[in-house]
Amino acid sequence: MYTPKPEHKFSFGLWTVGSVGRDPFGEPVRRALSPVEIVHLLAEVGAWGVNFHDNDLIPIDATPAERDQIVHNFKYALAETGIVVPMATTNLFSDPAFRDGAFTSNDPRVRAYALHKTMHAIDLGVELGVGVYVFWGGREGAETDAAKDPVTAIKRTREAMNFLCAYVIDKGYNLKFALEAKPNEPRGDIYNATTGNMLAFIATLDHPEMVGVNPEVAHEHMAGLNFTHAVAQALEAGKLFHIDLNDQAFGRYDQDFRFGAHNIKSAFFLVKLLEDYGYGGSRHFDAHAYRTADLDDVKAFATGCIRTYLILKDKAAQFNADPEIQALLAEITADDGSLDGFKGAYSPQKAAALKGHTFDRVALGQRGQPYERLDQLTVELLLGVR
Ligand code: GLT
Ligand code: MN
Ligand code: MN
C-alpha cells in the first residue's frame, strides 16, 4: 500500500543519502558513497530520481577526462536502475572563492566565475536530462550591512538570473529555474530570505515565466513561518516548480530531518495541499539521516521519507472522504446565497448597494465555529483511531 511508484516522483539529492554526517563540530561518521553507489541505493529504496550539485558528481578540480569518465559511469548506473535526473543545481557555496557569496560577491571576478560555473553546470544537467534547475543562494548574504548595500545585492542577483535565463533561451534548452530561499544559514542574513521574497523578486526578472520557486520545509520553519502557506502562495501563482521536503523544529539549528520526523501535523497539511491541487513536480527529499545512522539506518531514513509521504497522502484521502469531517467543513463554509449579489467583480452599482446594505454586526460576532471538533478529528485521523 505504501510502495513508491515512478508516478509519485520521489527524488533525493546525491548530497542527502550521501551525507557523511559532518557538522560544524564533528568529522564525518560515514564512508563517502560514490554517485554510482548512491544511484543503486536510491533504486533499492524505490526512489524515482536523483538530483545533484555539479560538484556532488564531479569534483571541482577534476580534469576533462575524469569528468567524462564520471559522467559515463553515472549514466550507466542510471540506465541500469531506471533512475532519472529531474533536477540539478550549482555548488556556489563550498569553495573558498565563494566566501562572500557568488552572484552577490563584492568581487567582480567571483561574480563572473559564478556565472561561468553555473553555465557549465547547466550544460551538465541538461546532458543528464534535467527539466528543473535549482538556485539555492548559499552564501548570498551578509554578516554586516556595512560591507554590501542590500539594494546592490538584489540588483546583482537580478543581473545574474537574467543572464542565465538568456543563456538557456539562447541554447534552446527546455529548462525552468527554481529559486530556493533560506533565511539565516550559512550566513546570518541571506538576501531574499523567504519563498515570499523569491516570488516578489521573480516578478522583476526579464523572463519571469521561466522562473519559479523551490521551497524547503526547514527553511520556512527556520524563519518561524507556516510552510504550507508559503507553498500555497507558490502553487496559486503557478510557481511551484520543485519542492524540498524535510523537517525542522522551530528555533533549532538547520536540521534537515527526515520528512515528517518532527511536525507530523504540518507535514500532513502540506501533503494534503500538494495532492489536493495535483502538484505534478518532483517530491524531493532534501534531508539527511541522523549523524548516529550507519548505512542501514540511512536506508531506513530514505524509506521513512517515502513511507511518511505516502501514509500522509493516504490520510489526506481519508480526510477528504470522512463523512463527519466533510459535514463539518460544509457547515463551516455554508452559504445561503443571500449575498450573492455582492460577489465577484467590482461595479459601481455593486459597491453602492454593498455600502448601503445593513449588517447585523452583533449577530456576525456571535457565531462560533467548530474548529476544535474539526481539529481533534484531524488529530485522531492522524493518530490512526478513525
Ligand atoms: C544544501 C541546502 C539545501 C539546498 C541544496 C541545494 S544544498 O544542503 O541546505 O537546502 O537545497 O543547493
Ligand atoms: Mn533545499
Ligand atoms: Mn536545508
Side-chain angles (χ1 to χ4, degrees), residues 35-45 76-78 80-81 83:
V36 166
E37 286 176 299
I38 295 173
V39 169
H40 285 280
L41 185 157
L42 292 180
E44 191 182 326
V45 300
Y76 189 81
L78 296 171
E80 262 188 320
T81 55
I83 297 276

Side-chain angles (χ1 to χ4, degrees), residues 100-265:
D100 187 31
F103 302 140
T104 63
S105 169
N106 271 333
D107 187 333
R109 298 169 305 171
V110 174
R111 297 202 298 276
Y113 174 56
L115 288 177
H116 157 103
K117 191 172 192 289
T118 303
M119 287 189 289
H120 282 292
I122 287 175
D123 294 346
L124 173 66
V126 169
E127 182 182 345
L128 287 159
V130 311
V132 178
Y133 200 85
V134 162
F135 290 84
W136 171 59
R139 298 187 190 276
E140 310 288 18
E143 289 77 34
T144 167
D145 289 334
K148 202 174 291 173
D149 177 344
V151 170
T152 302
I154 294 166
K155 289 187 186 303
R156 286 176 183 162
T157 310
R158 181 181 301 114
E159 201 176 290
M161 295 315 303
N162 284 341
F163 186 95
L164 293 166
C165 283
Y167 176 72
V168 165
I169 292 168
D170 182 32
K171 288 282 168 188
Y173 292 157
N174 184 16
L175 193 64
K176 292 191 289 188
F177 288 171
L179 310 188
E180 177 177 349
K182 183 175 184 178
N184 44 35
E185 207 214 12
R187 304 182 86 175
D189 296 287
I190 308 287
Y191 304 120
N192 282 329
T194 67
T195 298
N197 289 68
M198 286 298 186
L199 288 167
F201 171 73
I202 289 166
T204 72
L205 297 176
D206 288 348
H207 297 284
E209 70 287 350
M210 281 178 63
V211 186
V213 290
N214 177 37
E216 173 170 319
V217 178
H219 298 179
E220 301 297 315
H221 286 190
M222 287 167 81
L225 299 173
N226 180 317
F227 184 66
T228 305
H229 291 193
V231 172
Q233 189 184 2
L235 253 181
E236 202 273 338
K239 289 294 185 192
L240 189 65
F241 289 2
H242 200 265
I243 193 163
D244 278 1
L245 302 171
N246 58 12
D247 213 348
Q248 168 80 34
F250 284 54
R252 301 291 198 279
Y253 67 96
D254 180 21
Q255 295 172 307
D256 286 336
F257 279 164
R258 188 181 76 255
F259 181 58
H262 192 76
N263 303 284
I264 277 288
K265 204 171 156 189

Side-chain angles (χ1 to χ4, degrees), residues 187-385:
R187 304 182 86 175
D189 296 287
I190 308 287
Y191 304 120
N192 282 329
T194 67
T195 298
N197 289 68
M198 286 298 186
L199 288 167
F201 171 73
I202 289 166
T204 72
L205 297 176
D206 288 348
H207 297 284
E209 70 287 350
M210 281 178 63
V211 186
V213 290
N214 177 37
E216 173 170 319
V217 178
H219 298 179
E220 301 297 315
H221 286 190
M222 287 167 81
L225 299 173
N226 180 317
F227 184 66
T228 305
H229 291 193
V231 172
Q233 189 184 2
L235 253 181
E236 202 273 338
K239 289 294 185 192
L240 189 65
F241 289 2
H242 200 265
I243 193 163
D244 278 1
L245 302 171
N246 58 12
D247 213 348
Q248 168 80 34
F250 284 54
R252 301 291 198 279
Y253 67 96
D254 180 21
Q255 295 172 307
D256 286 336
F257 279 164
R258 188 181 76 255
F259 181 58
H262 192 76
N263 303 284
I264 277 288
K265 204 171 156 189
S266 52
F268 167 71
F269 288 120
L270 171 66
V271 171
K272 183 173 180 306
L273 181 86
L274 295 175
E275 297 301 326
D276 283 354
Y277 284 90
Y279 166 67
S282 296
R283 272 87 175 150
H284 173 228
F285 298 109
D286 186 7
H288 302 145
Y290 299 145
R291 194 161 179 268
T292 43
D294 58 13
L295 184 58
D296 276 342
D297 212 34
V298 169
K299 290 179 193 170
F301 148 85
T303 302
C305 287
I306 290 173
R307 276 181 66 80
T308 298
Y309 189 99
L310 289 174
I311 292 166
L312 292 175
K313 180 178 170 176
D314 184 47
K315 294 284 180 188
Q318 273 182 47
F319 181 101
N320 291 341
D322 187 302
E324 200 177 343
I325 289 175
Q326 292 309 312
L328 273 178
L329 284 171
E331 180 188 328
I332 285 164
T333 54
D335 183 346
D336 65 6
S338 58
L339 298 182
D340 279 359
F342 298 140
K343 288 183 189 151
Y346 179 86
S347 75
Q349 295 73 15
K350 206 184 276 181
L354 181 53
K355 283 173 83 180
H357 187 79
T358 305
F359 287 90
D360 185 348
R361 179 181 49 79
V362 175
L364 292 180
Q366 277 168 353
R367 181 186 177 192
Q369 287 279 34
Y371 295 170
E372 288 285 1
R373 269 173 63 205
L374 178 60
D375 189 69
Q376 181 64 21
L377 289 174
T378 308
V379 168
E380 294 194 9
L381 188 145
L382 291 177
L383 292 178
V385 296

